[in-house]
Amino acid sequence: MSKEKLTTNQFRMLVLFSTCSTSLLSMPLILGTMVGRDAWLIVLLGTLIGIPHIALFSLMARRHPHKDVFEMSRAILGNKIGTIGMIIVTALPLLTVSTKLHYSLSFITNHLLPETPPVMVMFISMSIVAMGVYLGICSLGRTAEMLSIFFFVPLLMLFVLKASDIHLEFVLPFFRGEQNQYTEAILFYLAITSCNNFLILSIFPKYVADKKKASRAFWQGHLLACLILLLVTLLCISVLGPELMTSAFFPLFTLAQRVSFGNFAERIEALLTILWFITIFFKICLYLYVSVKGIGHTFQLKDTKPLVLPLALIFVFIPLQAFEDAAADYEFYIGPAMWLSLGIGGVLPIILIVIDFIRAKQKQRISDPPKPSQGI
């Protein structure tokens, strides 16, 4: 895997897809449940607050241009403590993937394949994910680049066809909830966007060919994904209204079902399903890829490809055993999963960069001893 290199556009699309993922369907519901009609403001404020974290990731990449996050951890913290850091990073996808898989499984079994056994749905889905990860990050990058048109066209159609149904009165008034609700909503948004993008450092900058343009592509992919989430949330509020948006388990899917343009542009939710499948595929691929790489680095394995299949099989049964129903999934998503993402993706990189700067200054002092003072 070490010889594979992504182009700048491929890396940009991977960042975009992994940032959107299940948030396209779940974010309007969750933020709407927390703060009602102000959900779009949370996306806007959360994007601005999360900018320093993206800048921090870019700084780490510039200081270690030929390492991934696991190698950064070992180089900064040393072998023993660095191994603990690698285990912590590996734990993030392993402990939080259950929410994304269970939510995805609920969507497929409720709207697409209601008669198919859930275990078969997960087995088929993870077989495709395992194949993508086994072929390598370069193959995933090319796939993301080719599928970009199937992502943007349905999304643009949705925005255009529903623009006439927007009711601005659904957006007003602003900030009528309690302060703790807004704080929790912003923390949740940061956890699933900027903090979760800490996992992108398993790819960036080591596996991107043009490292100078890669940082800009990281910014572009992240901010474009946040813009899409902002527009989707705002569209759900202004078309469905805050009450209907929070009562629908998949607000964006409900919104797409109401698209009707003449007698030929109807039932656009089928295209929207393709859009969502694309994003969640790359998100789960990233989670499986990080898990495989993390275990490989922890045990210093030369070839990590044999780990793909057994970990994929574990991913098959995680959503089947993790939660009894959607309510348990929701409680874990806005509770332990959120705090894990904030702690590992939010606090750990700050610790790494602070220690990195301290060690760099210490090395500089050792290499440049003070000059002896000259007498008069």
Side-chain angles (χ1 to χ4, degrees), residues 24-272:
L24 285 172
L25 290 179
S26 64
M27 182 174 291
L29 170 66
I30 296 175
L31 293 183
T33 303
M34 291 178 176
V35 296
R37 65 184 77 244
D38 290 331
W40 70 277
L41 287 173
I42 297 299
V43 179
L44 181 60
L45 293 174
T47 301
L48 296 176
I49 296 173
I51 285 177
H53 251 96
I54 304 301
L56 179 63
F57 300 153
S58 298
L59 178 61
M60 293 178 64
R62 285 198 302 269
R63 293 181 64 84
H64 302 275
H66 302 290
K67 295 182 175 66
D68 57 27
V69 64
F70 305 104
E71 293 167 338
M72 292 179 195
S73 176
R74 178 166 286 168
I76 295 171
L77 301 177
N79 287 330
K80 294 183 178 180
I81 303 179
T83 302
I84 297 175
M86 289 189 293
I87 294 174
I88 293 174
V89 175
T90 308
L92 179 57
L94 289 175
L95 296 177
T96 59
V97 71
S98 57
T99 60
K100 301 184 183 301
L101 289 176
H102 189 271
Y103 190 82
S104 305
L105 181 63
S106 299
F107 177 77
I108 295 173
T109 54
N110 288 333
H111 293 281
L112 301 178
L113 302 172
E115 302 297 329
T116 306
V119 64
M120 289 305 301
V121 173
M122 287 308 307
F123 181 79
I124 295 173
S125 301
M126 287 307 304
S127 298
I128 301 172
V129 171
M131 182 182 298
V133 176
Y134 187 84
L135 292 175
I137 196 63
C138 191
S139 298
L140 287 175
R142 289 194 296 266
T143 304
E145 191 174 33
M146 290 187 295
L147 292 178
S148 59
I149 186 172
F150 298 101
F151 175 82
F152 288 110
V153 171
L155 194 63
L156 183 61
M157 287 180 61
L158 178 66
F159 290 151
V160 172
L161 295 178
K162 294 304 293 182
S164 59
D165 295 332
I166 292 176
H167 301 282
L168 295 179
E169 59 269 19
F170 287 151
V171 182
L172 302 173
F174 300 148
F175 298 112
R176 290 300 180 94
E178 298 180 3
Q179 183 178 357
N180 61 336
Q181 294 175 328
Y182 291 96
T183 302
E184 183 182 5
I186 290 176
L187 289 176
F188 171 77
Y189 179 79
L190 291 175
I192 64 175
T193 52
S194 59
C195 291
N196 202 262
N197 272 340
F198 179 52
L199 298 179
I200 295 294
L201 290 178
S202 62
I203 303 170
F204 167 68
K206 183 176 181 179
Y207 299 110
V208 185
D210 193 334
K211 302 186 186 305
K212 292 183 178 180
K213 294 181 179 179
S215 180
R216 189 186 311 164
F218 192 8
W219 280 99
Q220 292 170 347
H222 174 76
L223 294 178
L224 181 57
C226 292
L227 177 61
I228 292 173
L229 294 177
L230 173 63
L231 294 177
V232 165
T233 306
L234 187 58
L235 191 65
C236 289
I237 297 172
S238 59
V239 175
L240 298 177
E243 291 79 13
L244 181 56
M245 182 183 70
T246 54
S247 63
F249 196 62
F250 306 101
L252 187 61
F253 189 78
T254 303
L255 179 69
Q257 287 178 321
R258 297 179 170 225
V259 171
S260 179
F261 184 75
N263 294 321
F264 63 94
E266 296 183 358
R267 306 294 294 180
I268 197 177
E269 70 272 10
L271 292 176
L272 193 68

Side-chain angles (χ1 to χ4, degrees), residues 4-5 21 74 91 100 104 118 121 124 164 177 200 202 219 234 258 272 295 301 313 325 331 337 351 354 358 361 374:
E4 299 175 345
K5 297 294 181 180
S21 66
R74 178 166 286 168
K100 301 184 183 301
S104 305
V121 173
I124 295 173
S164 59
I200 295 294
S202 62
W219 280 99
L234 187 58
R258 297 179 170 225
L272 193 68
I295 295 175
L301 304 178
L313 291 175
D325 49 32
E331 292 296 327
I351 296 175
V354 169
I358 293 174
K361 287 186 177 181
Q374 297 179 357

